[in-house]
Amino acid sequence: MLLSFAALALIFTSCDSDKNEISEEQTKVDMSDFFVYTEADTNGALGRQGITPCHSMANLNRLLDEDPKLYKKMYDIEYHTRANSIAFRPGNGNGNGNGNNGGGDDGDGGTGDDLGLITIPVYVHVIYSNSQQNISAGQIQSQIDILNEDFSATNSDANQVPGEFSGLVADSEIQFILANTFRYSNSRSSWGTNDAMKQAYPPVTPETHLNIWVCNIGGGILGYAQFPGGSASTDGVVVSPQYFGNTGFVSAPFDGGRTTTHEVGHYLNLRHIWGDGRCNRDDFVSDTPKSDAPNYGCPSYPTVNCRSNDMTMNYMDYVDDDCMYMFSNGQKTRMRAIFQSGGPRAAMAN
């Protein structure tokens, strides 16, 4: 009998050990490739013809310098994102855009979560020093409409995606509604990128609302966003008025509302498609091919870098508005992870 009890105890101990090993394996998250600081140029040299499409990474570098705790916050957010993303594997981008190497999304186009359709209310802060900058309600609504089309893959140009990437086009199941517009007359001619506009006109309930400041940034900068993890007092997106929406006071070739789509992508935790570095840097999304630099203008297909075809038509590249028209399934998974319980934007999904 003693031998029998000993044998049973050994079996139960072995089962518990196996369960612990499985649990540890399931919760293991590889963070070896994580980074936050980039070589983002703060002087706009990456731009063309005096234009710098996005200042978000340079802004992130500044915030990291100012807040020593931000790195740990973003590390924890990335850990949460990877732990909650379906079939996520780091070191991605090596599958030539087909998502077959390195995991990423489940590939079926579904959400893979129980959040359903996420609705984000938007507050727009219009800061103007002249009548042109005081953009119309119609121009503002055009931008909300563009966001809804782009994030649901119902944009009319989505059918231009090359066959290589067409199976990766994602409906993020995120939508936007205009909650209110605030207008402020101010004699200041340009606001820069140090969040002065947010200090003058603070965000309203940023935990549950996306705040967008539409004001002249200056310096040829189209827009910039704050990644999840930053201070609530500066959370949101900034866009110059001539790059907001597709009607009224807009300026080609960035007159299709895609600057805001791009910046909201950052706000929802997407990196630039090339990872802001050479081929060994990554955007933490497995079904977007590696690249070593941004693309500009309207590049021809295929554009080859890092021995694969660039997904130049992705919203997180730097091409002209008419030539960007997709998010990928992997990007969808990454965006939606921040709304999961414990995520930095979970309050927006409730």
Side-chain angles (χ1 to χ4, degrees):
M1 288 182 66
L2 288 173
L3 286 173
S4 297
F5 284 126
L8 285 171
L10 182 62
I11 291 171
F12 286 126
T13 302
S14 175
C15 289
D16 287 341
S17 176
D18 289 342
K19 285 167 68 177
N20 288 335
E21 287 177 7
I22 292 171
S23 178
E24 289 174 7
E25 182 62 30
Q26 288 175 337
T27 59
K28 182 179 179 181
V29 176
D30 182 1
M31 296 289 292
S32 61
D33 67 335
F34 177 70
F35 69 93
V36 283
Y37 276 99
T38 69
E39 299 174 358
D41 181 29
T42 58
N43 297 316
L46 283 177
R48 61 187 181 92
Q49 300 177 347
I51 294 292
T52 300
C54 174
H55 196 76
S56 293
M57 300 311 293
N59 184 61
L60 174 58
N61 288 349
R62 175 183 66 85
L63 295 176
L64 287 163
D65 289 339
E66 294 175 358
D67 182 1
K69 296 181 180 179
L70 181 56
Y71 177 92
K72 180 60 165 58
K73 290 178 183 177
M74 294 190 70
Y75 181 96
D76 291 343
I77 289 168
E78 185 65 25
Y79 188 97
H80 175 274
T81 295
R82 297 184 183 197
N84 283 276
S85 294
I86 307 219
F88 183 90
R89 298 291 184 275
N92 48 56
N94 56 3
N96 293 322
N98 59 19
N100 291 328
N101 293 328
D105 194 81
D106 55 1
D108 63 1
T111 61
D113 57 48
D114 58 359
L115 296 174
L117 181 64
I118 297 168
T119 301
I120 299 177
V122 181
Y123 286 135
V124 176
H125 306 259
V126 179
I127 310 171
Y128 61 95
S129 63
N130 58 53
S131 59
Q132 281 187 318
Q133 294 174 4
N134 188 19
I135 59 175
S136 69
Q139 184 169 343
I140 294 169
Q141 187 58 52
S142 76
Q143 183 61 75
I144 300 299
D145 294 342
I146 291 163
L147 287 174
N148 283 322
E149 291 169 0
D150 290 350
F151 278 82
S152 66
T154 58
N155 48 302
S156 61
D157 46 5
N159 59 4
Q160 298 182 45
V161 176
E164 176 183 5
F165 304 127
S166 61
L168 300 175
V169 177
D171 170 3
S172 70
E173 299 185 61
I174 299 170
Q175 68 178 6
F176 304 84
I177 57 169
L178 181 62
N180 205 348
T181 299
F182 306 96
R183 296 182 183 272
Y184 312 102
S185 175
N186 193 301
S187 61
R188 183 166 178 167
S189 59
S190 64
W191 289 87
T193 57
N194 290 328
D195 292 336
M197 72 292 293
K198 302 174 185 179
Q199 295 161 13
Y201 308 105
V204 179
T205 55
E207 298 82 7
T208 55
H209 289 67
L210 163 60
N211 284 256
I212 302 177
W213 290 263
V214 181
C215 60
N216 186 44
I217 299 172
I221 296 170
L222 276 60
Y224 72 97
Q226 180 171 296
F227 284 89
S231 170
S233 66
T234 53
D235 196 19
V237 168
V238 184
V239 182
S240 286
Q242 63 269 45
Y243 312 118
F244 191 79
N246 65 358
T247 186
F249 178 50
V250 291
S251 178
F254 307 107
D255 54 351
R258 264 59 192 272
T259 293
T260 305
T261 297
H262 177 105
E263 299 305 341
V264 172
H266 285 316
Y267 172 84
L268 298 179
N269 208 29
L270 295 185
R271 302 292 182 97
H272 286 136
I273 197 83
W274 69 97
D276 291 276
R278 299 303 180 185
C279 295
N280 62 340
R281 277 296 179 99
D282 198 52
D283 65 348
F284 305 147
V285 177
S286 66
D287 60 5
T288 58
K290 287 187 177 181
S291 186
D292 65 349
N295 290 284
Y296 295 95
C298 282
S300 60
Y301 173 83
T303 296
V304 181
N305 280 294
C306 304
R307 294 186 288 185
S308 63
N309 296 334
D310 279 5
M311 192 182 282
T312 62
M313 66 294 307
N314 193 284
Y315 293 122
M316 303 314 294
D317 208 335
Y318 273 2
V319 299
D320 293 348
D321 282 16
D322 285 347
C323 299
M324 56 169 64
Y325 26 79
M326 70 168 287
F327 288 119
S328 74
N329 283 323
Q331 288 173 318
K332 168 185 178 175
T333 299
R334 181 172 177 81
M335 286 189 284
R336 292 183 66 86
I338 65 171
F339 298 102
Q340 295 279 2
S341 177
R345 303 208 186 281
M348 289 185 170
N350 296 329

